[in-house]
Amino acid sequence: MNPGLGIGVLIAGAVVVTLALLLLRLIIRGQSAPYIEPVSQVNPNRQIKEAIIVIQPGGRVEYLSPSARVFFNLREDEPYDLERLARYVRPSDDFIDLCVTPGVKRVSIGGKPAELASYEVPGSYPRILLSIRGRETSTASDAGDESANEILQVVTDFSQGVAA
């Protein structure tokens, strides 16, 4: 038996196994579990209608809820990515920061004041869950919150006027 032939078969076998593993990895990574709208634990008959964005590591938007699409003026079939969503938010740096680290910030989305809260979802690939609450759905419990909302509205109106 020729020793060169044995080495060639060994190398060919290693290449085939490596290609098979890479192909399997791409197939598994491309599949993601279908997202099911969350159901309230207190009242199981009521679905939660809060605007939710789920962001994978690296900034890929995994899920955008129908109510979040309303905030960003996106149709149901319209594609989305993090950069496109950030264009609607002012200040967009705050939005990007919340997509990377957990926190709470007040911003303007499409000229409307909103409160963003992000949470880290643990798992083999940790994700960021971003919750959006508009001014009409967030509760202002004291005069401090109301004045902060009014200030945010004034700043939003001013920035829209400058942009126009």
Side-chain angles (χ1 to χ4, degrees), residues 116-161:
L116 301 179
S118 66
Y119 309 94
E120 187 171 349
V121 180
S124 59
Y125 295 106
R127 296 179 187 99
I128 294 288
L129 184 134
L130 191 65
S131 166
I132 305 170
R133 293 186 188 155
R135 182 175 183 178
E136 61 278 351
T137 59
S138 65
T139 58
S141 59
D142 57 352
D145 284 345
E146 290 176 9
S147 64
N149 284 337
E150 290 174 11
I151 291 170
L152 182 61
Q153 184 63 44
V154 169
V155 171
T156 301
D157 293 342
F158 177 74
S159 65
Q160 284 180 341

Side-chain angles (χ1 to χ4, degrees), residues 38-60:
V39 177
S40 172
Q41 296 295 326
V42 176
N43 185 358
N45 296 329
R46 180 180 68 94
Q47 286 192 336
I48 299 170
K49 296 297 181 187
E50 193 167 291
I52 295 173
I53 303 173
V54 178
I55 302 164
Q56 292 180 346
R60 182 171 173 261

Side-chain angles (χ1 to χ4, degrees), residues 68-88:
R69 286 180 178 276
V70 172
F71 271 101
F72 292 99
N73 296 322
L74 295 172
R75 293 184 313 269
E76 187 175 328
D77 59 342
E78 198 169 359
Y80 53 85
D81 62 7
L82 194 59
E83 183 179 329
R84 185 173 189 171
L85 298 178
R87 283 188 223 139
Y88 286 95

